[in-house]
């Protein structure tokens, strides 16, 4: 029996990680801690919310006394930390929120783990979920490996890099059992439609302009979110203490090519003439400091822990489009803001 604290479990990736752990490990107790910012949506977890091995706690990781109190009460065996401010555009508008949650919030969790595990780290583990954006940008050649020096460019990636450094420092200084993974861009179901793929699907569906930064030349390496959740499961259970793993799909796409592929899939799914959806593509002024290319080398994860992505991109993208078209209510609730009432409606009597 293990009790695992998963932070940020109401978000996009966190909800997939929570679902996977609740389903795969009925003997574990999963506590999902989330502040429910605009990005947190408990409707992502309706399928598992009544399971006996699952519980939700509304809390803010920047609130150190609350985090300490929770560690004292719950006696967690492990933390899988995903809670973060995650949108680069928002980090350009308001960097401080990113420092508070991604840096201070992470340090609060590390302090609580250190304090309540009291140097007796056998069977305890702190897993920090991070991003490939800490490595900076690539030109047309090369890939990020676990040895690539950190070179973050946006306030988001700077805050994630900082939290990664703190996690390693707590391992080196206090002996805390930590593991870190740095993953490429994720796509899949339950993704908040401010991010490229769900935003494009929603706008194409509604016949609205599909904004593409600059000329769409930026290259990203895309991974299906359920493959990321499975990688987290494997790393959590099998990685040696202090290790870092890169996670990626060896699946690089220029934004503009990805959007054209999405338009072709949507034309087919919506019964539109070929080329119809692509007419919605609208180029907009590029994001400040927009990194040209990310590409992740996940050879270590593949060779040491035998993880490989399960889906080809075209197949994963088609599955993703199907999910958004079949879950109109989820999408309508998110775009209207109604999802924010879900917690009140669902949990007020519990
Ligand atoms: N989305 C990606 O492509 C990607 C790729 C690599 C790594 N990551 C990392 O994975 C993690 C999850 O990303 P995501 O895309 O699911 O993000 P998300 O924005 O969808 O979800 C973040 C969750 O954290 C919660 N949260 C935010 N601030 C909080 C606070 N102060 N206290 C408690 N909860 C808080 C939000 O309510 C939300 O549920 C992040 O750490 C991110 O850096 C994301």
């Amino acid at each position: 029996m293990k009790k695992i604290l998963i932070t940020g479990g109401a978000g996009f990736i966190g909800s997939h990680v929570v679902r996977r752990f609740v389903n795969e490990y009925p003997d574990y107790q999963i506590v999902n801690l989330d502040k429910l910012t605009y990005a947190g949506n408990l409707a992502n977890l309706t399928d598992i919310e009544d399971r006996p091995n699952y519980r939700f706690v509304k809390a803010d990781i920047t609130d150190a006394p609350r985090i300490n109190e929770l560690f004292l009460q719950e006696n967690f065996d492990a933390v899988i930390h995903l809670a973060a401010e995650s949108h680069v555009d928002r980090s350009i508008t308001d960097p401080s929120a990113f420092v508070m949650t991604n840096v201070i919030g992470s340090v609060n969790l590390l302090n609580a783990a250190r304090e309540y595990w009291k140097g007796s780290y056998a069977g305890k583990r702190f897993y920090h979920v991070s991003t490939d954006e800490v490595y900076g940008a690539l030109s047309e050649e090369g890939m990020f490996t676990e040895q690539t020096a950190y070179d973050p460019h946006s306030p988001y990636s700077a805050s994630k890099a900082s939290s990664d450094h703190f996690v390693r420092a707590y391992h080196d200084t206090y002996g805390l059992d930590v593991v870190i993974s740095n993953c490429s861009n994720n796509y899949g179901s339950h993704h908040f439609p401010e991010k490229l793929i769900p935003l494009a699907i929603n706008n194409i569906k509604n016949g609205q302009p599909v904004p593409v930064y600059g000329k769409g030349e930026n290259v990203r390496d895309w991974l299906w979110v359920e493959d990321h959740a499975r990688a987290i499961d494997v790393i959590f259970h099998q990685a040696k203490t202090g290790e870092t793993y890169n996670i990626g799909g060896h699946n690089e796409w220029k934004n503009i090519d990805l959007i054209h592929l999405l338009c072709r899939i949507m034309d087919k799914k919506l019964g539109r003439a070929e080329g119809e959806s692509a007419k919605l593509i609208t180029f907009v002024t590029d994001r400040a400091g927009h990194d040209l290319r990310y590409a992740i080398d996940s050879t270590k994860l593949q060779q040491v822990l035998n993880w490989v992505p399960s889906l080809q991109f075209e197949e994963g993208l088609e599955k993703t489009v199907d999910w958004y078209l079949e879950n109109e209510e989820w999408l309508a609730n998110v775009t209207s803001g109604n999802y924010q009432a879900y917690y009140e409606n669902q949990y007020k009597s519990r």
Side-chain angles (χ1 to χ4, degrees):
M1 171 72 83
K2 267 189 197 299
K3 192 183 260 192
I4 304 180
L5 173 68
I6 300 183
T7 70
F12 166 47
I13 301 171
S15 62
H16 285 279
V17 174
V18 165
R19 178 176 300 100
R20 181 174 180 91
F21 274 72
V22 166
N23 284 331
E24 296 284 320
Y25 303 103
D27 289 348
Y28 292 2
Q29 289 295 319
I30 304 300
V31 178
N32 170 15
L33 179 154
D34 201 295
K35 180 183 172 183
L36 301 182
T37 66
Y38 78 94
N41 182 358
L42 283 177
N44 290 351
L45 291 166
T46 45
D47 53 330
I48 56 104
E49 69 189 0
D50 291 325
R51 294 288 177 80
N53 65 335
Y54 170 75
R55 198 155 65 79
F56 175 69
V57 174
K58 186 168 191 263
D60 183 340
I61 59 170
T62 68
D63 181 352
R66 177 84 174 97
I67 296 301
N68 292 339
E69 179 191 77
L70 207 64
F71 269 75
L72 185 63
Q73 286 165 357
E74 301 278 351
N75 203 11
F76 297 120
D77 296 296
V79 177
I80 303 179
H81 174 37
L82 297 105
E85 288 291 343
S86 71
H87 192 38
V88 175
D89 288 346
R90 288 178 189 253
S91 83
I92 294 168
T93 320
D94 179 14
S96 301
F98 285 68
V99 177
M100 286 309 296
T101 288
N102 299 359
V103 186
I104 307 290
S106 298
V107 171
N108 287 341
L109 288 164
L110 287 164
N111 283 339
R114 184 180 157 232
E115 172 70 21
Y116 293 99
W117 293 343
K118 298 205 184 315
S120 161
Y121 300 136
K124 312 283 191 202
R125 171 149 279 190
F126 192 103
Y127 185 145
H128 180 60
V129 175
S130 192
T131 166
D132 62 350
E133 299 192 29
V134 298
Y135 297 124
L138 294 164
S139 51
E140 271 152 35
E141 296 294 312
M143 290 180 132
F144 300 131
T145 72
E146 288 82 0
Q147 278 71 47
T148 303
Y150 277 27
D151 183 22
H153 294 156
S154 72
Y156 164 65
S157 54
S159 67
K160 291 298 290 186
S162 172
S163 61
D164 291 11
H165 290 318
F166 273 103
V167 173
R168 284 196 188 96
Y170 275 57
H171 175 69
D172 295 344
T173 310
Y174 308 113
L176 197 69
D177 180 329
V178 307
V179 283
I180 300 180
S181 57
N182 297 85
C183 189
S184 60
N185 281 40
N186 284 213
Y187 70 95
S189 67
H190 304 92
H191 203 180
F192 197 81
E194 66 180 353
K195 304 277 173 83
L196 181 68
I197 291 179
L199 180 110
I201 293 174
N202 192 33
N203 286 15
I204 294 169
K205 177 170 157 267
N206 295 322
Q208 286 169 355
V210 178
V212 174
Y213 280 130
K215 294 194 172 94
E217 293 290 314
N218 304 70
V219 176
R220 297 293 179 262
D221 182 349
W222 291 93
L223 180 70
W224 189 43
V225 64
E226 292 187 35
D227 280 332
H228 187 188
R230 188 166 48 82
I232 289 174
D233 181 348
V234 170
I235 294 167
F236 175 75
H237 287 101
Q238 296 179 34
K240 289 195 195 124
T241 182
E243 290 260 39
T244 296
Y245 280 90
N246 280 352
I247 311 173
H250 286 291
N251 177 45
E252 289 181 49
W253 284 78
K254 270 188 191 172
N255 285 348
I256 188 64
D257 296 339
L258 184 162
I259 294 296
H260 275 292
L261 172 61
L262 205 49
C263 286
R264 285 197 295 278
I265 294 174
M266 293 289 283
D267 281 343
K268 199 172 72 182
K269 299 278 173 193
L270 298 172
R272 291 182 184 162
E274 205 181 317
E276 198 59 28
S277 298
K279 290 182 190 154
L280 299 167
I281 295 172
T282 309
F283 294 101
V284 298
T285 311
D286 207 355
R287 167 193 282 165
H290 204 175
D291 291 336
L292 177 67
R293 176 173 164 257
Y294 303 142
I296 202 127
D297 182 346
S298 57
T299 308
K300 180 180 172 191
L301 179 60
Q302 304 201 8
Q303 291 187 349
V304 181
L305 301 182
N306 290 322
W307 171 93
V308 279
S310 69
L311 280 189
Q312 293 297 314
F313 189 52
E314 283 82 349
E315 189 189 350
L317 208 52
E318 207 160 321
K319 257 172 117 83
T320 303
V321 168
D322 285 341
W323 188 86
Y324 283 96
L325 295 179
E326 283 159 16
N327 287 275
E328 287 198 339
E329 197 182 332
W330 182 94
L331 199 55
N333 277 335
V334 172
T335 45
S336 68
N338 283 346
Y339 70 103
Q340 286 172 320
Y342 186 88
Y343 173 75
E344 283 300 308
N345 295 336
Q346 187 68 12
Y347 284 83
K348 66 183 170 204
S349 57
R350 292 189 178 201

